[in-house]
Amino acid sequence: MLGIANKDKDKLHNFIRLVDYMTIEVLVDINFASVKTFMDEMRKERKTGLFNISINEQQMTFMPDEEEILDLIETTLKDMIEIVRGIPRFIREFKEYLKFNQGEDDWMDNIADIGKIITRSVEYIAIKSEMQEKVKVDFTVAAAYVEENYKKVR
C-alpha cells in the first residue's frame, strides 16, 4: 500500500501541471469568445456611428479619428488579455510539489504564458486584423459618403 502511495505521490507534479494547463485552456477560450463577441458587435450595421464629423470650408474632420479608434481597440484587446493573466494560477499554489529538470532555477519560466498563447494564435491574429480592417473601411466609406453629400450642399 505504501508503494502505491509513493507512486501516486511521484505523479502529483504531473497532475498539478495538467490542472493548470486545463485552466489556461479555459481562460484562453474565454478570451477568444470575448474577442469574437467584440468583433460581432463591430460587424453590426448601425444608423449612428462611433464618431462625429466636423466640416468647414477647407476640410472634414472625424472625432475620434481613425488612429484613435484603432488605439482604443488595441488597448481593449490588451486589457482583455491582462484580465485573464490576472486570474490566480493553480500551479502557483502548489509550486513546492513540482519537479524541475536540472538547471531549471526559476519555476516561473516553466509556466505557459497566457498572453503569448493568445497573441500568437492564428485565430487571434486574424480577428485582430479583421477589426483593424473594419475600422479602416468604415472610415473610408464614411469619408466618401460625407464628401459626396457635402458636394450637394455646397
Side-chain angles (χ1 to χ4, degrees):
M1 191 61 111
L2 187 57
I4 294 171
N6 280 331
K7 283 183 184 179
D8 285 347
K9 184 186 96 180
D10 290 340
K11 295 178 185 176
L12 181 61
H13 69 279
N14 289 332
F15 178 73
I16 292 168
R17 286 178 192 246
L18 174 65
V19 170
D20 189 66
Y21 293 153
M22 291 171 71
T23 304
I24 290 171
E25 183 178 10
V26 169
L27 293 173
V28 168
D29 288 346
I30 289 169
N31 182 272
F32 283 151
S34 298
V35 171
K36 287 176 186 173
T37 301
F38 186 16
M39 186 64 226
D40 291 343
E41 285 299 315
M42 289 180 66
R43 286 184 187 121
K44 288 182 182 176
E45 290 296 322
R46 291 177 168 60
K47 294 198 182 224
T48 58
L50 294 171
F51 43 81
N52 294 317
I53 302 167
S54 173
I55 302 172
N56 63 29
E57 300 270 337
Q58 288 80 27
Q59 69 178 12
M60 167 181 53
T61 308
F62 292 95
M63 295 177 298
D65 66 14
E66 181 179 339
E67 201 58 44
E68 288 174 298
I69 298 285
L70 290 171
D71 288 344
L72 179 64
I73 290 171
E74 181 72 26
T75 300
T76 302
L77 293 175
K78 284 180 181 176
D79 289 347
M80 292 167 77
I81 292 170
E82 287 307 311
I83 288 170
V84 294
R85 260 192 179 147
I87 294 173
R89 299 278 299 272
F90 185 80
I91 203 166
R92 293 178 196 273
E93 301 302 317
F94 296 94
K95 63 184 176 186
E96 64 269 10
Y97 298 104
L98 297 176
K99 293 182 180 178
F100 298 104
N101 295 325
Q102 201 111 48
E104 292 180 338
D105 297 328
D106 189 1
W107 67 276
M108 290 297 292
D109 290 340
N110 296 294
I111 301 176
D113 184 336
I114 296 174
K116 287 180 183 175
I117 291 170
I118 293 169
T119 57
R120 293 178 180 173
S121 77
V122 173
E123 187 176 18
Y124 178 84
I125 292 168
I127 292 173
K128 183 177 174 182
S129 294
E130 185 180 349
M131 286 179 171
Q132 293 167 336
E133 188 61 29
K134 173 82 171 119
V135 169
K136 291 174 184 176
V137 167
D138 285 354
F139 268 91
T140 302
V141 169
Y145 177 83
V146 170
E147 186 66 34
E148 181 64 30
N149 288 304
Y150 181 61
K151 284 180 185 177
K152 293 176 187 176
V153 175
R154 282 191 238 184

